[in-house]
Amino acid sequence: MQLQEKNSPFNQEQAEQLNRVIPTLTENQKIWLSGYLAGPASSGAAVHDPPQTKEAASTEAPAKTREVTVLYGSHTGNCQSLSEDFAQRLKQQDFKVTLSSMDDYKPKALKKAEDILILTSTHGDGDPPDNAIPFYDFLHSKRAPKLDDVRFSVLSLGDSSYEFYCQTGKDFDKRLEELGAERLFQRMDCDLDFEDPAEEWMQGVLEQLNKGRQSEASISSEAPVDQATSATSYSRSNPFQAEILENINLNGRGSNKETRHLELDLEGSGLQYEPGDSLGIFPENDPTLVEQLLEVMEWDPEELVQINKQGESKPLREALSTTFEITSLTKPLLEKVAELANHEELRELVHSEKLKDYIYGRDLIDLVNDYGPFKVSASEFISILRKIPVRLYSIASSGKANPDEVHLTVGAVRYDSHGRNRTGVCSVQCAERSEPGGSLPVFVQRNQNFKLPQNPDTPVIMIGAGTGVAPYRAFLEEREEMDVEGDAWLFLGDQHFVTDFLYQIEWQKWLKEGVLTKMDVAFSRDTSEKVYVQHRMLENSQSLYEWLQAGAVVYVCGDEKQMAKDVQSALLTILKQEGGMNDEQAEAYLTDMRKEKRYQRDVY
């Protein structure tokens, strides 16, 4: 029964509040409330509470809802996407929410913060992602304030195959506690298949935030879903089957590399992207590898196994092909196998110094051959495997220049390890098992940390090696389409000029037409002394410094362990050499560039 304003003495707001509260009351609560309201009406005295003046009763405010600050540190965009979704859910439940990337958040605002929710990935060897570095450094400095009145919770994304799994989230969690903040909900560390644990964390946080709120605000923690939209919206949870239009090897005959240029059809998907974004692909395992695992474990390939918490099942062969990771080992996996199989020797390995060396370059078949076969059922074993990680590739095209298409640059990974030939799960699927006319399940991953400047006249310096040049092809296609007149300088590196000059004709055309102002190339295997992009930067140090002083935005894309670190070292050298700075001043200059989004990296 709904209370109508026109049939009652209540105004619209009061009627709406009553309509929300009354259905939530038990019979005992309704009886108590009717007696409470009847008492003052008949006797003029309160039943349980001391008397209040009319003015006091009308001005008494409900319990104050604490403000929620959602901060994210994101490298590929996963934490940003989760943060945006969670902030929306909080707003739908009438929370006051501040949403910000960590590099946009003013650290001084911490003094006024109430509830802080941190969502962060971990980068490289346990480092924070680039857009979290300033906030991370501040929080771990002596300038960080005491946070005695703050509550917090941390969601940490990582990859359990790395030694410093979710380290940045662990660091934030520990430091906030050290500063006196109260843990609102326990930290959740998520592996590459982060969706379910992330949802569990959000539900737990919502439950804690809702405690103590008045019943009128205590609504379901489930966010409403627009059914009409969800049925046709393609995303990570609902990938689009994109038809393969082209699949071309960009390397010349004689190259020891294979780099595929893929063109995919997005017509009818509604998917939109900008230069700098990535395309996610849900890959499948090599069928040969799947058959080898089935054989060595003596499993029935047609046995139905459960693949998720919702109870969905697939035949074992299909599950191993499309759902579960079998090509890499992690410490958590070996711990679970040791317990599942009650394997003492494997337990000893897990807790020994030999573990790191053992898991590097080995897969599930190696584990079974070395320590198995394990006397466990397929269903039991499947339950401890993690999902095949999504692969993200920098988009190599402009949507404006290629409507309803997306292009990728994918380097096929092949190597020998421990006496067996190994291949990259997704890269070799793209190279060997992705023919034109076939399809790949894809979604667009936004990356706000690698974007062209808003002012098109701002000069850009693009530095990349190998497939790291992919986003720069998208940048220049976009700038050509928009008739941008700002200067653009490309530093490109690879192995051999003749066989590995990716997109050579396009770069040279843009150079001739003025879309590209300058280009410096480094082919490391063409000379007796290896030359890389950082060497070309140092050779052009004066000119490059002048571009920096003119406000140029620097982009770095490619290998993190070597190329990106060497490029940063070269930038610091140029700042010291041409700008007369000492080490501390050069580091501060780069930090300021990062804060101003003039130093952007997409490294892996």
Side-chain angles (χ1 to χ4, degrees), residues 132-336:
I133 291 174
F135 183 74
Y136 180 94
D137 290 344
F138 175 84
L139 206 65
H140 286 81
S141 73
K142 294 180 179 180
R143 297 168 57 206
K146 284 294 182 182
L147 303 175
D148 296 333
D149 297 324
V150 171
R151 299 187 303 178
F152 75 94
S153 187
V154 176
L155 180 71
S156 184
L157 269 58
D159 181 343
S160 61
S161 64
Y162 284 83
E163 180 179 1
F164 300 101
Y165 170 56
C166 288
Q167 189 61 49
T168 301
K170 294 173 183 177
D171 290 347
F172 275 126
D173 188 69
K174 179 182 178 183
R175 183 56 175 162
L176 287 166
E177 184 178 43
E178 289 173 349
L179 292 172
E182 175 192 350
R183 189 173 286 101
L184 176 71
F185 187 74
Q186 73 268 21
R187 186 188 77 247
M188 187 78 73
D189 296 335
C190 305
D191 209 343
L192 296 176
D193 49 342
F194 59 82
E195 289 88 347
D196 288 344
E199 177 61 26
E200 182 182 339
W201 177 81
M202 291 182 188
Q203 293 282 3
V205 169
L206 278 167
E207 183 177 333
Q208 293 302 313
L209 289 173
N210 274 318
K211 279 186 177 179
R213 297 181 79 195
Q214 290 191 342
S215 58
E216 64 183 276
S218 299
I219 55 179
S220 169
S221 60
E222 289 290 345
V225 178
D226 185 340
Q227 297 295 336
T229 302
S230 63
T232 57
S233 178
Y234 294 102
S235 62
R236 185 187 184 103
S237 59
N238 183 32
F240 175 70
Q241 290 290 337
E243 182 182 352
I244 302 166
L245 302 174
E246 294 281 355
N247 189 344
I248 304 166
N249 184 4
L250 294 175
N251 297 100
R253 184 175 299 174
S255 175
N256 63 3
K257 303 174 75 174
E258 182 180 358
T259 309
R260 311 300 300 195
H261 172 80
L262 275 75
E263 299 185 1
L264 306 177
D265 187 0
L266 297 181
E267 185 175 2
S269 69
L271 293 175
Q272 302 290 325
Y273 64 88
E274 297 177 353
D277 289 341
S278 298
L279 192 77
I281 298 179
F282 285 87
E284 295 185 5
N285 286 313
D286 186 337
T288 303
L289 205 60
V290 172
E291 294 304 320
Q292 289 174 353
L293 183 60
L294 288 169
E295 182 178 349
V296 74
M297 288 296 290
E298 300 180 353
W299 283 335
D300 176 5
E302 300 306 317
E303 177 186 345
L304 284 178
V305 292
Q306 186 172 318
I307 63 168
N308 55 33
K309 292 182 178 179
Q310 290 71 42
E312 184 182 353
S313 297
K314 286 183 179 180
L316 179 58
R317 178 187 283 117
E318 183 182 353
L320 291 173
S321 298
T322 64
T323 307
F324 294 104
E325 182 177 61
I326 62 175
T327 57
S328 66
L329 302 178
T330 67
K331 182 178 179 179
L333 174 62
L334 266 62
E335 288 174 334
K336 292 174 183 176

Side-chain angles (χ1 to χ4, degrees), residues 20 68 85 270 290 297 317 381 418 424 436 461 491 542 550 585:
R20 285 198 295 270
V68 181
D85 290 346
V290 172
M297 288 296 290
R317 178 187 283 117
F381 203 88
H418 304 291
I461 299 171
F491 289 91
Q542 182 178 351
Q585 290 169 330

Side-chain angles (χ1 to χ4, degrees), residues 572 575-576 580-587:
L572 292 170
L575 291 171
K576 289 183 286 187
M581 304 179 193
N582 58 31
D583 289 346
E584 186 176 334
Q585 290 169 330
E587 290 281 2

Side-chain angles (χ1 to χ4, degrees), residues 275 450-453 458-465 468-477 479 486-493 507 510-511 515-521 533 537 544 547-548 552-557 563 567 598 600:
F450 206 76
K451 281 285 176 282
L452 283 167
T458 303
V460 296
I461 299 171
M462 303 167 288
I463 306 163
V469 301
Y472 306 140
R473 182 177 183 267
F475 280 11
L476 294 180
E477 279 193 348
R479 288 165 71 88
D487 290 334
W489 190 350
L490 174 66
F491 289 91
L492 176 151
W507 306 128
W510 284 322
L511 197 59
V515 178
L516 185 58
T517 313
K518 297 183 67 174
M519 179 169 66
D520 285 275
V521 298
V533 287
M537 293 168 61
L544 201 151
W547 279 53
L548 294 181
V553 179
V554 176
Y555 300 90
V556 183
C557 184
M563 188 276 291
V567 164
R598 290 183 50 221
Q600 302 184 29

